[in-house]
Amino acid sequence: MSRPLMSPAADQRGAPSTDTLALVASLWFALACNLSFWHEVLSGRDATAPATWLFAGALFVALVAVHFLLLGLVLHRAWAKPLLGLLLVATAFAVHYTQKFNVYLDPSMLRNVLRTDVKEASELFTWSMAPHLLFYAVLPLLLLWWVPIRRRRWPGALARRIGWLLLAAALGVGAVMAVFQDFGSLMRNRKELRYLITPANYLYSLGRVAVADTRSAAKPREPLGTDARPGAAWAARSKPTLFVFVLGETARAANWGLSGYARQTTPQLAEVPGLINFKDVSACGTNTETSVPCLFSPWGRRQYDEDRIRGSQGLLHVLDHAGLGTFWRDNQSGCKGVCDGLPNERLATTASALCDGERCLDEALLRDLDAPLVAASATAASAAQGLPKAVTDSRVVVLHMLGNHGPAYYKRYPASFRRFEPTCDTPDLRQCEIPQIVNTYDNALLYTDHVLARTIDWLKARQDRYDTALIYVSDHGESLGENRLFLHGVPYAIAPKEQTQVPMVAWFSPGFADSRRLDLGCVQARAAQPASHDHLFHSLLGLMDVKTAVREPAMDLFAPCRR
């Protein structure tokens, strides 16, 4: 006897609705995907105290409600599975990096992630992720695709959805109010904890970044320092200036040999006569996306306004307005907008002695550098102003290093610089002991020291044609396991000093020092005092003798040392 056919309605009897899927997903997110959040908010509380259980229960209800509200506003039966599937995969990766490196997915970190090039991102994908992705992504996806979704007529479905959303909102608000005093105190003192709530953290941050980028893309950068002009002293100078600004990557002051680190990680720089080391320098941010635009702006961390900084021209544009040629050469992830519209070049990674087809060692920044120096020039408008030849022939060159970019520190130096052993020869830092990671990181610093010493030699060889000078500073620091933190990108307000204190050195040729009437003994004394990225915009304009209303003399590190 044949089995009677069942109606579609009967077939779906017992199948979950879209609302049920949203609730189950919200429970999954709150329970399984927020372990870092739970660890932080419950740390130090008495696990046996009723108040702790009340606080944890209220937060759990609030987390479920928040994620249900987010899902309930966008889920529809037609696209529920693809959207939830995408969310599960993205959340699995977010949870992995949050738990592995203790990162906070705030807008700054999301922007950094989105701007990271494919080669950098590939170093974060390791086989150790497989068990995590199996549990957090593959198994939930299989369950999601196996479960049918009940079909409902839209008037009834809409009414139910509105009812569920109102109930979720009421429960969420009620839960927070039940522990409001404790919750309010926690959020006031540790605002950054909201960026551990996954996936709400990266969804919110992604929205913030998208809105900001859309707004900035709709209008050109605001001109900055269009009144810039070379100072009167340029007329008496017989030589143009060649100034090299080396922008480091992920070098931290804690491991910098010149600043008192137990190891000598800067042996070649230590032998450079007249080199000036700044021992106490604070970065503008804890990631490249924040620090680079910030340090090239006149406002810095003290007047930080992301929209204004990203929407305005920077230091190189001001120099260009004054008639000085600029050139940016990059061995990393770009200039982050600070060289837009100006001569720039990204290193070709064609396989060679210094490049492996994917990455180049930083010495490649010096390869054939004279050719772009000749080609780099100021704008036609500036050249037509009858400026002194010493001005129009001068160059400010920025070399953007790959430096100590992690987690693959072992790829940042050639084998000859593997002096501290044993090393961590994998991007999966959890497979290595802390001393191995530190050894590898220090080897990369040894190589940075070598590249900087070579750059100074390159400048010395051109002193017959130019007054030469160099400043090096790193964009931000790095955590190497202190307090279970790795890499960088912690919100600045709570970032450890390992991520915010960076090395900085300066070198001036005798001709440059004389032409600027620099008292190098005075500069050496100033280097012992605190400084920051905030000083660089104003200090470089001062060293290049550029007059403009946007330069603040009080922020010029070298102004008190010019006779």
Side-chain angles (χ1 to χ4, degrees):
M1 191 173 183
S2 62
R3 183 181 175 184
L5 294 174
M6 298 179 68
S7 69
D11 254 347
Q12 291 193 344
R13 202 169 293 147
S17 65
T18 308
D19 298 325
T20 305
L21 269 186
L23 179 60
V24 171
S26 300
L27 289 167
W28 168 255
F29 293 144
L31 284 171
C33 300
N34 280 279
L35 298 183
S36 294
F37 174 77
W38 289 117
H39 177 269
E40 291 295 326
V41 298
L42 298 178
S43 178
R45 294 176 183 266
D46 183 0
T48 62
T52 299
W53 285 92
L54 174 63
F55 183 67
L59 283 188
F60 174 73
V61 172
L63 282 187
V64 174
V66 165
H67 288 105
F68 183 84
L69 287 168
L70 289 173
L71 294 174
L73 291 172
V74 297
L75 282 189
H76 183 275
R77 186 181 184 279
W79 57 76
K81 286 190 176 184
L83 185 58
L84 274 177
L86 179 63
L87 201 58
L88 285 169
V89 172
T91 300
F93 281 102
V95 170
H96 174 73
Y97 292 114
T98 299
Q99 293 179 354
K100 184 174 182 179
F101 300 119
N102 287 339
V103 299
Y104 291 73
L105 296 178
D106 61 353
S108 176
M109 176 57 75
L110 250 291
R111 187 184 296 279
N112 203 45
V113 170
L114 294 172
R115 298 294 186 276
T116 299
D117 63 32
V118 175
K119 294 170 186 174
E120 287 181 10
S122 65
E123 294 173 353
L124 293 170
F125 291 88
T126 61
W127 285 109
S128 66
M129 296 175 62
H132 173 92
L133 293 179
L134 176 65
F135 178 74
Y136 279 94
V138 177
L139 293 180
L141 281 175
L142 290 175
L143 181 62
L144 175 65
W145 291 113
W146 175 74
V147 172
I149 302 178
R150 181 184 302 176
R151 187 188 303 274
R152 282 179 169 155
R153 295 182 180 276
W154 76 264
L158 179 61
R160 287 185 181 88
R161 177 65 57 83
I162 293 173
W164 275 106
L165 291 174
L166 291 174
L167 178 61
L171 288 174
V173 171
V176 170
M177 294 305 297
V179 292
F180 185 76
Q181 185 173 355
D182 200 354
F183 178 79
S185 175
L186 180 69
M187 289 297 105
R188 279 194 302 273
N189 296 325
R190 300 196 61 188
K191 294 179 181 179
E192 73 280 356
L193 289 181
R194 67 189 187 273
Y195 294 118
L196 290 177
I197 300 173
T198 312
N201 52 0
Y202 71 80
L203 292 174
Y204 168 77
S205 297
L206 191 62
R208 282 275 305 272
V209 171
V211 169
D213 285 358
T214 301
R215 191 163 55 232
S216 62
K219 58 181 181 181
R221 289 180 180 271
E222 288 291 327
L224 181 72
T226 54
D227 63 331
R229 296 293 181 269
W234 276 102
R237 290 179 183 138
S238 58
K239 283 184 182 178
T241 295
L242 176 55
F243 195 108
V244 174
F245 181 82
V246 184
L247 179 58
E249 169 66 36
T250 320
R252 70 186 206 171
N255 290 50
W256 192 245
L258 290 173
S259 296
Y261 183 46
R263 284 175 170 170
Q264 180 49 287
T265 53
T266 53
Q268 294 187 47
L269 287 176
E271 298 298 320
V272 175
L275 187 85
I276 299 168
N277 181 62
F278 290 77
K279 294 184 177 181
D280 184 4
V281 179
S282 300
C284 191
T286 61
N287 60 70
T288 306
E289 275 293 326
T290 299
S291 279
V292 173
C294 184
L295 74 86
F296 279 86
S297 81
W299 304 291
R301 170 58 55 181
R302 65 204 165 99
Q303 301 177 44
Y304 190 75
D305 182 329
E306 182 175 316
D307 290 340
R308 179 168 64 164
I309 289 173
R310 294 187 181 280
S312 301
Q313 294 179 342
L315 171 66
L316 299 184
H317 297 93
V318 179
L319 293 170
D320 184 74
H321 295 325
L324 296 160
T326 66
F327 178 67
W328 181 289
R329 177 173 272 190
D330 202 277
N331 191 29
Q332 230 243 82
S333 55
C335 71
K336 312 304 179 185
V338 301
C339 66
D340 284 0
L342 300 172
N344 66 88
E345 173 187 75
R346 191 164 186 176
L347 288 183
T349 58
T350 307
S352 65
L354 293 172
C355 305
D356 61 8
E358 292 187 358
R359 285 288 193 193
C360 290
L361 295 171
D362 280 327
E363 279 182 278
L365 288 166
L366 298 176
R367 187 173 52 195
D368 302 323
L369 186 54
D370 285 295
L373 285 185
V374 174
S377 61
T379 60
S382 295
Q385 292 174 4
L387 299 174
K389 193 172 188 301
V391 173
T392 56
D393 286 350
S394 291
R395 300 288 179 262
V396 177
V397 178
V398 181
L399 303 179
H400 191 192
M401 303 178 84
L402 183 56
N404 280 52
H405 196 288
Y409 307 121
Y410 68 101
K411 291 184 177 181
R412 308 302 176 232
Y413 55 89
S416 59
F417 283 82
R418 186 176 174 173
R419 299 178 195 173
F420 303 118
E421 296 184 295
T423 54
C424 178
D425 298 331
T426 171
D428 189 356
L429 300 182
R430 295 289 182 177
Q431 294 186 20
C432 302
E433 299 293 330
I434 297 297
Q436 293 176 285
I437 297 172
V438 173
N439 286 342
T440 316
Y441 183 89
D442 286 351
N443 287 336
L445 279 184
L446 279 171
Y447 184 60
T448 292
D449 166 71
H450 170 71
V451 174
L452 291 174
R454 277 212 58 205
T455 306
I456 292 173
D457 289 340
W458 182 85
L459 286 169
K460 287 179 178 177
R462 286 151 183 79
Q463 289 182 93
D464 59 331
R465 289 177 286 152
Y466 297 98
D467 290 331
T468 58
L470 172 143
I471 284 181
Y472 162 81
V473 70
S474 181
D475 60 350
H476 54 76
E478 186 87 326
S479 288
L480 299 176
E482 301 87 2
N483 301 314
R484 301 187 308 113
L485 288 174
F486 291 91
L487 303 183
H488 53 267
V490 172
Y492 200 89
I494 62 165
K497 64 180 181 179
E498 289 83 5
Q499 295 190 27
T500 60
Q501 298 298 112
V502 294
M504 175 172 151
V505 298
W507 174 85
F508 306 110
S509 69
F512 185 93
D514 288 345
S515 67
R516 269 66 181 179
R517 301 179 63 83
L518 264 182
D519 181 342
L520 297 185
C522 171
V523 176
Q524 193 72 257
R526 177 63 184 86
Q529 301 172 29
S532 73
H533 279 174
D534 290 19
H535 290 100
L536 290 169
F537 177 94
H538 310 281
S539 300
L540 290 172
L541 287 177
L543 288 173
M544 293 305 295
D545 193 10
V546 170
K547 308 300 181 185
T548 171
V550 296
R551 174 178 169 267
E552 299 176 44
M555 291 298 294
D556 184 345
L557 290 171
F558 308 100
C561 300
R562 285 195 288 272
R563 299 185 300 274

